[in-house]
Amino acid sequence: FRGFVQRGLERTLGTAGAIAVATLAFGAAHGDAVHAAAALPLGLYLGVLSSLGGSIRPALVAHIANNAFAVLEAGLEFQLPGTGPPALISIFVEFAITAVALRAAARGVAPPATSAGPPA
């Protein structure tokens, strides 16, 4: 969704429009309404992350972290003592992992080229 849909639509729809369409497609791809509703904010987050990072790598790392912690929380009923809902744990860990991924992407990926228009 980030590489093909979002990047493919950026020239036509602009960054915000491309992120919006990729987010809706990401949500719809999760099938049922419950998963789609949870995937929409994650899709928006991943779209912005890809745009800011200039690469799909930060979003890929964040998505892997999200899914890994979702599996841990659901399968192992993982929760730190005295914390809120288990989902909060994965959100905080995901943000930390994302910060590292963005920093790595910033070091290894050049910013997207911009053009003022067609050559004269």
Side-chain angles (χ1 to χ4, degrees):
F1 293 99
R2 307 302 141 230
F4 182 71
V5 176
Q6 185 172 320
R7 284 191 175 173
L9 293 174
E10 278 182 344
R11 287 189 178 168
T12 306
L13 301 177
T15 301
I19 290 171
V21 171
T23 297
L24 292 172
F26 182 75
H30 282 77
D32 62 77
V34 172
H35 287 101
L40 283 173
L42 178 63
L44 178 61
Y45 171 67
L46 297 175
V48 170
L49 207 56
S50 290
S51 182
L52 291 175
S55 169
I56 65 168
R57 289 182 185 127
L60 180 66
V61 170
H63 195 193
I64 289 168
N66 177 75
N67 288 359
F69 277 92
V71 168
L72 282 174
E73 290 170 351
L76 303 176
E77 297 181 12
F78 178 71
Q79 186 173 356
L80 294 175
T83 63
L88 292 178
I89 297 167
S90 67
I91 290 169
F92 290 124
V93 171
E94 185 176 333
F95 282 145
I97 292 171
T98 298
V100 172
L102 273 174
R103 187 170 181 177
R107 284 189 208 147
V109 178
T114 57
S115 174

XYZ file of all heavy atoms in Angstrom:
834
model
N 0.816 -1.203 0.000
C 0.000 0.000 0.000
C 0.855 1.262 0.000
O 0.508 2.239 -0.631
C -0.968 0.000 1.196
C -2.000 -1.070 1.079
C -1.855 -2.261 1.758
C -3.094 -0.901 0.261
C -2.796 -3.264 1.638
C -4.047 -1.893 0.125
C -3.900 -3.076 0.814
N 1.935 1.226 0.734
C 2.801 2.421 0.790
C 3.604 2.571 -0.488
O 3.753 3.661 -1.004
C 3.795 2.364 1.954
C 3.240 2.105 3.301
C 2.206 3.084 3.768
N 1.205 2.299 4.476
C -0.091 2.362 4.271
N -0.590 3.206 3.424
N -0.918 1.603 4.933
N 4.164 1.485 -0.977
C 5.030 1.560 -2.147
C 4.264 1.706 -3.438
O 4.532 2.599 -4.233
N 3.293 0.852 -3.656
C 2.595 0.846 -4.936
C 1.474 1.883 -4.995
O 1.461 2.742 -5.861
C 2.045 -0.560 -5.210
C 1.339 -0.671 -6.530
C 2.058 -0.632 -7.707
C -0.024 -0.815 -6.589
C 1.406 -0.727 -8.930
C -0.686 -0.912 -7.789
C 0.032 -0.871 -8.972
N 0.548 1.815 -4.074
C -0.620 2.701 -4.116
C -0.235 4.135 -3.771
O -0.494 5.067 -4.545
C -1.740 2.203 -3.166
C -2.905 3.172 -3.133
C -2.212 0.825 -3.586
N 0.366 4.322 -2.611
C 0.657 5.679 -2.146
C 1.625 6.405 -3.078
O 1.342 7.506 -3.535
C 1.220 5.637 -0.722
C 1.438 7.009 -0.122
C 1.813 6.928 1.346
O 1.271 6.114 2.083
N 2.731 7.760 1.771
N 2.750 5.795 -3.351
C 3.722 6.459 -4.231
C 3.187 6.634 -5.636
O 3.480 7.620 -6.295
C 5.027 5.682 -4.260
C 5.838 5.882 -3.014
C 7.215 5.333 -3.198
N 8.019 5.635 -2.033
C 9.228 5.170 -1.854
N 9.778 4.391 -2.753
N 9.898 5.485 -0.772
N 2.413 5.663 -6.089
C 1.851 5.744 -7.431
C 0.853 6.876 -7.598
O 0.704 7.426 -8.688
N 0.170 7.243 -6.524
C -0.856 8.283 -6.599
C -0.369 9.673 -6.198
O -1.096 10.645 -6.360
C -2.044 7.899 -5.717
C -2.842 6.690 -6.174
C -3.898 6.330 -5.138
C -3.485 6.945 -7.525
N 0.852 9.782 -5.660
C 1.323 11.072 -5.160
C 1.351 12.157 -6.232
O 0.992 13.297 -5.969
C 2.700 10.934 -4.508
C 2.599 10.437 -3.101
C 3.956 10.347 -2.415
O 5.002 10.385 -3.088
O 3.943 10.225 -1.179
N 1.756 11.830 -7.438
C 1.811 12.848 -8.492
C 0.425 13.328 -8.894
O 0.238 14.484 -9.215
C 2.551 12.312 -9.711
C 4.027 12.207 -9.470
C 4.755 11.886 -10.729
N 6.183 11.835 -10.444
C 7.075 11.374 -11.258
N 6.705 10.909 -12.437
N 8.336 11.363 -10.923
N -0.520 12.422 -8.864
C -1.877 12.769 -9.266
C -2.666 13.438 -8.150
O -3.322 14.450 -8.372
C -2.641 11.498 -9.706
O -1.886 10.837 -10.705
C -4.012 11.840 -10.235
N -2.588 12.889 -6.944
C -3.422 13.348 -5.835
C -2.694 14.191 -4.807
O -3.320 14.722 -3.896
C -4.039 12.143 -5.114
C -4.908 11.207 -5.945
C -5.374 10.034 -5.098
C -6.090 11.962 -6.520
N -1.372 14.272 -4.906
C -0.589 14.943 -3.882
C -0.366 13.991 -2.725
O -0.964 12.907 -2.647
N 0.493 14.396 -1.815
C 0.861 13.512 -0.703
C -0.334 13.163 0.172
O -0.580 11.996 0.469
C 1.971 14.160 0.143
O 3.102 14.405 -0.693
C 2.384 13.263 1.288
N -1.096 14.155 0.585
C -2.230 13.905 1.482
C -3.281 13.015 0.821
O -3.803 12.090 1.454
C -2.854 15.226 1.930
N -3.595 13.276 -0.432
C -4.582 12.464 -1.145
C -4.125 11.027 -1.319
O -4.908 10.083 -1.155
N -2.845 10.861 -1.640
C -2.292 9.517 -1.822
C -2.308 8.747 -0.501
O -2.634 7.559 -0.475
C -0.875 9.604 -2.374
N -1.969 9.427 0.591
C -2.011 8.779 1.906
C -3.443 8.380 2.238
O -3.695 7.283 2.740
C -1.417 9.693 2.993
C 0.099 9.819 2.811
C -1.741 9.162 4.397
C 0.749 10.860 3.706
N -4.396 9.250 1.948
C -5.804 8.956 2.249
C -6.298 7.735 1.476
O -6.934 6.844 2.052
C -6.671 10.175 1.933
N -6.008 7.665 0.187
C -6.459 6.534 -0.624
C -5.776 5.244 -0.163
O -6.420 4.201 -0.022
C -6.213 6.792 -2.126
C -6.462 5.536 -2.951
C -7.094 7.932 -2.618
N -4.465 5.300 0.097
C -3.742 4.110 0.567
C -4.275 3.655 1.923
O -4.386 2.456 2.183
C -2.246 4.393 0.646
N -4.628 4.614 2.781
C -5.189 4.288 4.093
C -6.522 3.569 3.949
O -6.771 2.556 4.613
C -5.346 5.561 4.939
O -4.051 6.115 5.174
C -6.041 5.288 6.252
N -7.388 4.086 3.094
C -8.690 3.440 2.875
C -8.526 2.043 2.282
O -9.210 1.104 2.688
C -9.568 4.314 1.981
C -10.039 5.625 2.611
C -10.737 6.496 1.568
C -10.945 5.362 3.792
N -7.599 1.896 1.344
C -7.351 0.584 0.743
C -6.792 -0.385 1.773
O -7.173 -1.560 1.815
C -6.391 0.722 -0.439
N -5.891 0.105 2.624
C -5.308 -0.712 3.691
C -6.402 -1.195 4.639
O -6.447 -2.367 5.014
C -4.254 0.118 4.433
C -3.526 -0.608 5.521
C -2.553 -1.548 5.222
C -3.783 -0.322 6.859
C -1.858 -2.207 6.231
C -3.091 -0.959 7.860
C -2.129 -1.915 7.555
N -7.296 -0.298 5.021
C -8.405 -0.673 5.903
C -9.319 -1.693 5.245
O -9.688 -2.698 5.855
N -9.666 -1.454 3.991
C -10.558 -2.359 3.272
C -9.939 -3.740 3.096
O -10.646 -4.756 3.131
C -10.916 -1.765 1.916
N -8.633 -3.796 2.933
C -7.958 -5.080 2.728
C -8.002 -5.966 3.970
O -7.780 -7.170 3.874
C -6.505 -4.854 2.326
N -8.318 -5.376 5.109
C -8.386 -6.167 6.338
C -9.725 -6.870 6.493
O -9.953 -7.543 7.502
C -8.045 -5.300 7.556
C -6.577 -5.076 7.689
N -5.891 -4.177 6.911
C -5.652 -5.667 8.484
C -4.614 -4.222 7.229
N -4.434 -5.115 8.183
N -10.591 -6.711 5.518
C -11.804 -7.521 5.453
C -12.974 -7.018 6.248
O -13.717 -6.172 5.785
N -13.159 -7.532 7.437
C -14.363 -7.214 8.209
C -14.270 -5.834 8.844
O -13.202 -5.227 8.924
C -14.618 -8.284 9.280
C -13.492 -8.370 10.287
O -13.416 -7.487 11.171
O -12.683 -9.315 10.192
N -15.404 -5.342 9.292
C -15.498 -3.971 9.808
C -14.648 -3.744 11.055
O -14.067 -2.668 11.220
C -16.961 -3.628 10.105
N -14.542 -4.732 11.917
C -13.764 -4.577 13.150
C -12.287 -4.394 12.823
O -11.639 -3.464 13.315
C -13.967 -5.786 14.095
C -13.025 -5.720 15.281
C -15.408 -5.854 14.565
N -11.739 -5.271 11.989
C -10.326 -5.150 11.628
C -10.065 -3.920 10.773
O -9.027 -3.273 10.913
C -9.843 -6.420 10.913
C -9.701 -7.574 11.834
N -10.647 -8.563 11.919
C -8.737 -7.891 12.729
C -10.275 -9.444 12.818
N -9.121 -9.059 13.335
N -11.000 -3.598 9.891
C -10.834 -2.408 9.051
C -10.803 -1.145 9.902
O -9.988 -0.250 9.668
C -11.958 -2.329 8.021
N -11.667 -1.082 10.915
C -11.694 0.097 11.790
C -10.385 0.246 12.558
O -9.901 1.361 12.767
C -12.873 0.001 12.761
N -9.794 -0.855 12.958
C -8.507 -0.797 13.651
C -7.371 -0.503 12.684
O -6.386 0.150 13.039
C -8.253 -2.115 14.372
N -7.501 -0.951 11.449
C -6.437 -0.765 10.460
C -6.400 0.658 9.909
O -5.339 1.110 9.466
C -6.619 -1.759 9.312
N -7.506 1.372 9.929
C -7.524 2.736 9.373
C -6.551 3.685 10.073
O -5.730 4.315 9.399
C -8.943 3.301 9.367
C -9.849 2.762 8.262
C -11.280 3.261 8.460
C -9.332 3.136 6.893
N -6.584 3.800 11.409
C -5.601 4.698 12.033
C -4.165 4.207 11.849
O -3.257 5.010 11.659
C -5.984 4.736 13.510
C -7.053 3.737 13.699
C -7.539 3.274 12.366
N -3.973 2.884 11.863
C -2.638 2.351 11.626
C -2.199 2.668 10.198
O -1.057 3.068 9.963
C -2.599 0.839 11.870
C -1.252 0.168 11.606
C -0.173 0.703 12.548
C -1.378 -1.340 11.719
N -3.098 2.533 9.247
C -2.775 2.838 7.858
C -2.407 4.296 7.660
O -1.471 4.623 6.922
N -3.120 5.177 8.332
C -2.805 6.605 8.259
C -1.421 6.860 8.843
O -0.593 7.561 8.256
C -3.862 7.422 9.004
C -3.649 8.924 9.054
C -3.636 9.524 7.654
C -4.741 9.572 9.897
N -1.161 6.270 9.993
C 0.128 6.395 10.648
C 1.249 5.891 9.739
O 2.268 6.550 9.551
C 0.083 5.624 11.966
C 1.396 5.468 12.674
C 2.048 6.571 13.218
C 1.978 4.218 12.812
C 3.252 6.419 13.888
C 3.173 4.059 13.485
C 3.811 5.164 14.016
O 4.993 5.010 14.667
N 1.057 4.725 9.133
C 2.071 4.153 8.262
C 2.276 4.991 7.001
O 3.397 5.117 6.516
C 1.698 2.706 7.896
C 1.638 1.716 9.052
C 1.142 0.359 8.566
C 2.965 1.595 9.756
N 1.198 5.562 6.491
C 1.320 6.419 5.314
C 2.125 7.673 5.595
O 2.992 8.067 4.810
N 1.858 8.297 6.721
C 2.604 9.495 7.114
C 4.061 9.123 7.373
O 4.983 9.839 6.975
C 1.963 10.169 8.348
C 2.851 11.259 8.914
C 0.589 10.716 7.988
N 4.271 7.996 8.007
C 5.614 7.516 8.289
C 6.411 7.309 7.000
O 7.569 7.720 6.909
C 5.501 6.193 9.041
C 6.599 5.776 9.964
C 6.847 6.834 11.019
C 6.207 4.474 10.631
N 5.798 6.697 6.015
C 6.465 6.495 4.728
C 6.813 7.819 4.069
O 7.894 7.986 3.522
C 5.573 5.699 3.778
O 5.454 4.387 4.210
N 5.895 8.741 4.148
C 6.127 10.050 3.540
C 7.255 10.790 4.247
O 8.160 11.322 3.602
C 4.839 10.870 3.575
O 5.031 12.109 2.956
N 7.216 10.814 5.566
C 8.250 11.509 6.328
C 9.620 10.846 6.181
O 10.644 11.528 6.133
C 7.877 11.571 7.810
C 6.707 12.462 8.179
C 6.387 12.317 9.666
C 6.985 13.906 7.833
N 9.623 9.533 6.131
C 10.874 8.800 6.035
C 11.435 8.724 4.633
O 12.572 8.327 4.441
N 10.620 9.080 3.634
C 11.074 8.995 2.256
C 11.293 7.567 1.793
O 11.979 7.324 0.810
N 10.710 6.614 2.498
C 10.915 5.194 2.216
C 9.781 4.412 2.866
O 9.173 4.872 3.828
C 12.253 4.757 2.819
O 12.388 3.355 2.805
N 9.539 3.226 2.344
C 8.538 2.369 2.992
C 9.145 1.600 4.161
O 8.418 0.987 4.931
C 7.876 1.393 1.999
C 8.886 0.391 1.441
C 7.149 2.139 0.904
C 8.255 -0.762 0.692
N 10.453 1.650 4.332
C 11.108 0.871 5.386
C 10.622 1.216 6.798
O 10.354 0.304 7.579
C 12.617 1.007 5.274
C 13.164 0.270 4.074
C 14.669 0.373 3.996
N 15.119 -0.259 2.766
C 15.884 0.331 1.883
N 16.308 1.560 2.079
N 16.249 -0.307 0.791
N 10.515 2.502 7.169
C 10.005 2.787 8.518
C 8.596 2.232 8.741
O 8.294 1.704 9.805
C 10.020 4.310 8.614
C 11.026 4.736 7.608
C 10.938 3.734 6.498
N 7.742 2.338 7.726
C 6.386 1.804 7.847
C 6.412 0.289 7.939
O 5.622 -0.309 8.678
C 5.533 2.250 6.664
N 7.306 -0.329 7.220
C 7.441 -1.779 7.268
C 7.840 -2.232 8.668
O 7.241 -3.151 9.235
C 8.479 -2.243 6.243
C 8.741 -3.731 6.148
C 7.511 -4.465 5.640
C 9.920 -3.988 5.225
N 8.822 -1.566 9.249
C 9.263 -1.903 10.607
C 8.128 -1.683 11.607
O 7.873 -2.516 12.473
C 10.512 -1.078 10.990
C 10.842 -1.230 12.467
C 11.697 -1.485 10.131
N 7.426 -0.553 11.477
C 6.317 -0.256 12.389
C 5.193 -1.280 12.248
O 4.597 -1.698 13.242
C 5.793 1.151 12.139
N 4.898 -1.698 11.032
C 3.833 -2.672 10.809
C 4.214 -4.027 11.395
O 3.391 -4.697 12.033
C 3.555 -2.789 9.312
C 2.270 -3.477 8.980
N 1.969 -3.906 7.722
C 1.208 -3.829 9.745
C 0.775 -4.485 7.716
N 0.297 -4.453 8.941
N 5.462 -4.422 11.220
C 5.931 -5.678 11.800
C 5.841 -5.615 13.328
O 5.375 -6.563 13.975
C 7.369 -5.991 11.337
C 7.359 -6.368 9.855
C 7.982 -7.109 12.177
C 8.736 -6.427 9.221
N 6.279 -4.484 13.900
C 6.200 -4.324 15.354
C 4.758 -4.384 15.831
O 4.442 -5.048 16.832
C 6.841 -3.002 15.773
N 3.866 -3.707 15.125
C 2.449 -3.712 15.487
C 1.893 -5.133 15.478
O 1.240 -5.560 16.439
C 1.662 -2.830 14.520
C 0.185 -2.862 14.817
O -0.273 -2.266 15.776
N -0.567 -3.583 14.007
N 2.159 -5.864 14.409
C 1.622 -7.222 14.313
C 2.238 -8.153 15.353
O 1.542 -8.988 15.939
C 1.846 -7.778 12.906
C 0.950 -7.111 11.884
O 0.141 -6.252 12.212
N 1.113 -7.484 10.634
N 3.532 -8.006 15.598
C 4.196 -8.858 16.591
C 3.606 -8.630 17.973
O 3.318 -9.591 18.699
C 5.698 -8.584 16.594
N 3.414 -7.383 18.342
C 2.854 -7.114 19.664
C 1.377 -7.471 19.745
O 0.904 -7.890 20.801
C 3.121 -5.668 20.088
C 4.476 -5.516 20.683
C 5.552 -5.180 19.894
C 4.697 -5.788 22.027
C 6.822 -5.088 20.427
C 5.961 -5.698 22.571
C 7.034 -5.346 21.771
N 0.658 -7.363 18.659
C -0.741 -7.786 18.661
C -0.832 -9.287 18.920
O -1.685 -9.749 19.687
C -1.411 -7.429 17.340
N 0.058 -10.049 18.296
C 0.073 -11.496 18.507
C 0.458 -11.814 19.952
O -0.165 -12.656 20.605
C 1.037 -12.185 17.513
C 1.296 -13.638 17.899
C 0.476 -12.107 16.101
N 1.478 -11.144 20.462
C 1.882 -11.365 21.855
C 0.757 -11.030 22.828
O 0.487 -11.788 23.759
C 3.111 -10.522 22.202
C 4.444 -11.020 21.710
C 5.525 -9.994 22.015
C 4.783 -12.357 22.344
N 0.146 -9.888 22.613
C -0.923 -9.461 23.522
C -2.110 -10.410 23.495
O -2.678 -10.747 24.533
C -1.379 -8.048 23.178
C -0.346 -7.010 23.514
C -0.677 -5.632 22.966
O -1.618 -5.490 22.174
O 0.032 -4.691 23.326
N -2.481 -10.838 22.297
C -3.653 -11.709 22.177
C -3.339 -13.137 22.617
O -4.074 -13.735 23.397
C -4.156 -11.704 20.743
N -2.234 -13.677 22.128
C -1.915 -15.078 22.394
C -1.408 -15.340 23.790
O -1.730 -16.360 24.393
N -0.639 -14.422 24.318
C -0.046 -14.627 25.633
C -0.731 -13.805 26.721
O -0.328 -13.865 27.874
C 1.447 -14.263 25.594
C 2.295 -15.005 24.574
C 3.720 -14.470 24.575
C 2.280 -16.497 24.859
N -1.735 -13.056 26.326
C -2.422 -12.135 27.235
C -1.398 -11.291 27.980
O -1.434 -11.127 29.198
C -3.331 -12.901 28.188
C -4.441 -13.624 27.462
C -5.369 -14.376 28.388
O -5.311 -14.173 29.614
O -6.166 -15.166 27.868
N -0.471 -10.755 27.197
C 0.645 -9.967 27.715
C 0.164 -8.596 28.183
O -0.512 -7.895 27.465
C 1.691 -9.799 26.610
C 2.865 -8.965 26.996
C 3.808 -9.443 27.906
C 3.050 -7.711 26.447
C 4.901 -8.681 28.246
C 4.139 -6.945 26.789
C 5.072 -7.426 27.691
N 0.505 -8.247 29.405
C 0.193 -6.924 29.930
C 1.120 -6.641 31.106
O 1.299 -7.479 31.980
C -1.270 -6.856 30.389
C -1.674 -5.465 30.814
C -3.164 -5.376 31.110
O -3.898 -6.331 30.923
N -3.600 -4.243 31.571
N 1.719 -5.457 31.094
C 2.565 -5.071 32.209
C 1.689 -4.733 33.414
O 0.618 -4.148 33.258
C 3.420 -3.856 31.843
C 4.463 -4.083 30.754
C 5.153 -2.760 30.422
C 5.483 -5.107 31.181
N 2.125 -5.096 34.617
C 1.327 -4.781 35.813
C 1.121 -3.273 35.956
O 2.035 -2.483 35.742
C 2.192 -5.311 36.960
C 3.165 -6.244 36.344
C 3.348 -5.808 34.929
N -0.079 -2.888 36.289
C -0.389 -1.484 36.528
C -0.574 -0.641 35.281
O -0.703 0.567 35.365
N -0.573 -1.274 34.100
C -0.766 -0.497 32.870
C -2.209 -0.595 32.426
O -2.981 -1.399 32.931
C 0.150 -1.010 31.739
O -0.206 -2.358 31.433
C 1.610 -0.920 32.133
N -2.522 0.213 31.455
C -3.864 0.199 30.888
C -4.046 -1.000 29.976
O -3.382 -2.025 30.148
N -4.911 -0.859 29.001
C -5.172 -1.962 28.079
C -3.889 -2.425 27.394
O -2.988 -1.624 27.168
C -6.140 -1.363 27.058
C -6.680 -0.147 27.698
C -5.670 0.329 28.700
N -3.786 -3.703 27.065
C -2.586 -4.222 26.419
C -2.202 -3.465 25.151
O -1.034 -3.344 24.845
C -2.946 -5.671 26.098
C -4.000 -6.024 27.075
C -4.756 -4.744 27.333
N -3.162 -2.943 24.419
C -2.859 -2.235 23.172
C -1.950 -1.036 23.416
O -1.161 -0.664 22.552
C -4.147 -1.789 22.495
N -2.038 -0.421 24.586
C -1.186 0.732 24.878
C 0.284 0.357 24.900
O 1.146 1.136 24.505
C -1.584 1.355 26.216
C -2.948 2.028 26.258
C -3.230 2.554 27.659
C -3.033 3.146 25.235
N 0.588 -0.838 25.338
C 1.977 -1.295 25.369
C 2.524 -1.326 23.953
O 3.603 -0.815 23.679
C 2.088 -2.685 26.025
C 1.631 -2.601 27.479
C 3.515 -3.215 25.922
C 1.398 -3.953 28.111
N 1.796 -1.926 23.030
C 2.294 -2.038 21.662
C 2.416 -0.675 21.005
O 3.328 -0.450 20.216
C 1.414 -2.960 20.815
O 0.145 -2.393 20.613
N 1.545 0.247 21.336
C 1.627 1.587 20.754
C 2.919 2.267 21.184
O 3.647 2.817 20.353
C 0.395 2.430 21.140
C -0.847 1.887 20.429
C 0.622 3.904 20.788
C -2.142 2.467 20.919
N 3.245 2.207 22.465
C 4.479 2.837 22.940
C 5.712 2.169 22.357
O 6.651 2.827 21.936
C 4.525 2.845 24.465
C 3.530 3.774 25.089
C 2.612 3.302 26.004
C 3.500 5.122 24.748
C 1.676 4.164 26.576
C 2.576 5.981 25.312
C 1.661 5.504 26.227
N 5.719 0.851 22.321
C 6.870 0.135 21.764
C 6.978 0.420 20.270
O 8.069 0.635 19.739
C 6.760 -1.374 22.042
C 7.826 -2.150 21.286
C 6.856 -1.638 23.534
N 5.853 0.461 19.588
C 5.864 0.739 18.152
C 6.425 2.128 17.863
O 7.210 2.311 16.933
C 4.454 0.615 17.586
C 4.415 0.763 16.099
C 3.035 0.543 15.532
O 2.228 -0.178 16.140
O 2.776 1.107 14.476
N 6.050 3.113 18.652
C 6.606 4.449 18.453
C 8.116 4.457 18.653
O 8.841 5.115 17.914
C 5.950 5.470 19.382
C 4.591 5.915 18.930
C 3.605 6.195 19.856
C 4.285 6.062 17.593
C 2.348 6.616 19.459
C 3.035 6.476 17.172
C 2.064 6.755 18.106
N 8.600 3.730 19.639
C 10.047 3.671 19.875
C 10.757 3.008 18.699
O 11.782 3.504 18.215
C 10.330 2.918 21.171
N 10.227 1.898 18.228
C 10.822 1.206 17.085
C 10.752 2.085 15.845
O 11.690 2.145 15.049
C 10.128 -0.153 16.862
C 10.465 -1.093 18.015
C 10.537 -0.764 15.527
C 9.677 -2.371 18.032
N 9.658 2.790 15.676
C 9.499 3.675 14.534
C 10.517 4.799 14.552
O 11.064 5.167 13.510
C 8.067 4.253 14.519
O 7.157 3.158 14.387
C 7.877 5.210 13.376
N 10.786 5.346 15.717
C 11.786 6.411 15.816
C 13.139 5.916 15.330
O 13.843 6.604 14.579
C 11.881 6.919 17.251
N 13.492 4.698 15.707
C 14.753 4.107 15.253
C 14.718 3.885 13.742
O 15.686 4.183 13.033
C 15.029 2.784 16.003
C 16.220 2.054 15.404
C 15.235 3.051 17.475
N 13.606 3.382 13.230
C 13.483 3.129 11.791
C 13.556 4.426 10.987
O 14.188 4.473 9.932
C 12.173 2.399 11.493
N 12.920 5.477 11.471
C 12.976 6.772 10.774
C 14.397 7.318 10.749
O 14.857 7.840 9.738
C 12.056 7.787 11.460
C 10.618 7.801 11.014
C 9.807 8.750 11.889
C 10.494 8.189 9.561
N 15.082 7.170 11.850
C 16.461 7.652 11.905
C 17.348 6.870 10.936
O 18.166 7.445 10.227
C 16.992 7.536 13.323
C 18.336 8.155 13.474
C 18.729 8.254 14.899
N 20.035 8.894 14.947
C 20.670 9.200 16.024
N 20.118 8.949 17.182
N 21.845 9.752 15.987
N 17.151 5.563 10.882
C 17.927 4.740 9.953
C 17.597 5.095 8.510
O 18.488 5.191 7.667
C 17.654 3.266 10.214
N 16.310 5.318 8.230
C 15.912 5.682 6.865
C 16.480 7.038 6.482
O 16.899 7.248 5.347
C 14.389 5.690 6.746
N 16.519 7.959 7.423
C 17.052 9.297 7.137
C 18.535 9.229 6.789
O 19.025 10.011 5.978
C 16.830 10.214 8.337
N 19.237 8.300 7.377
C 20.662 8.155 7.085
C 20.910 7.519 5.727
O 21.853 7.863 5.043
C 21.334 7.285 8.135
C 21.558 7.986 9.414
C 22.430 7.113 10.295
N 22.128 7.418 11.675
C 22.159 6.565 12.644
N 22.478 5.316 12.415
N 21.886 6.926 13.871
N 20.055 6.564 5.344
C 20.343 5.781 4.150
C 19.513 6.094 2.930
O 19.762 5.554 1.869
N 18.538 6.964 3.053
C 17.643 7.227 1.934
C 17.635 8.711 1.631
O 17.407 9.528 2.515
C 16.198 6.755 2.261
C 15.262 7.069 1.122
C 16.187 5.281 2.581
N 17.873 9.047 0.384
C 17.816 10.449 -0.017
C 16.366 10.899 -0.050
O 15.469 10.097 -0.315
C 18.433 10.617 -1.396
N 16.109 12.171 0.240
C 14.716 12.644 0.163
C 14.185 12.536 -1.243
O 14.955 12.569 -2.202
C 14.805 14.099 0.607
C 16.250 14.463 0.594
C 17.048 13.201 0.585
N 12.858 12.377 -1.386
C 12.282 12.262 -2.715
C 12.586 13.501 -3.547
O 12.573 14.616 -3.041
C 10.780 12.118 -2.471
C 10.577 12.104 -1.006
C 11.877 12.347 -0.327
N 12.862 13.277 -4.812
C 13.131 14.401 -5.708
C 11.854 15.164 -5.971
O 10.777 14.597 -6.087
C 13.705 13.867 -7.017
N 11.975 16.465 -6.033
C 10.825 17.297 -6.366
C 11.108 18.008 -7.670
O 12.254 18.249 -8.024
C 10.548 18.345 -5.265
O 11.710 19.135 -5.085
C 10.177 17.659 -3.960
N 10.068 18.316 -8.348
C 10.219 18.980 -9.646
C 9.289 20.170 -9.701
O 8.144 20.088 -9.284
C 9.891 17.981 -10.758
O 9.897 18.623 -12.001
N 9.775 21.261 -10.220
C 8.951 22.448 -10.373
C 8.061 22.359 -11.602
O 7.209 23.190 -11.811
C 9.838 23.697 -10.447
N 8.262 21.360 -12.396
C 7.459 21.203 -13.603
C 8.282 20.536 -14.669
O 9.439 20.158 -14.457
N 7.727 20.396 -15.884
C 8.467 19.749 -16.948
C 9.640 20.620 -17.400
O 9.598 21.838 -17.282
C 7.423 19.593 -18.066
C 6.332 20.528 -17.728
C 6.400 20.777 -16.254
N 10.705 19.988 -17.892
C 11.846 20.776 -18.369
C 11.444 21.682 -19.520
O 10.573 21.346 -20.314
C 12.848 19.716 -18.835
C 12.258 18.394 -18.570
C 10.878 18.573 -18.045
N 12.094 22.812 -19.585
C 11.744 23.796 -20.633
C 12.325 23.404 -21.958
O 13.258 22.751 -22.129
C 12.258 25.169 -20.226
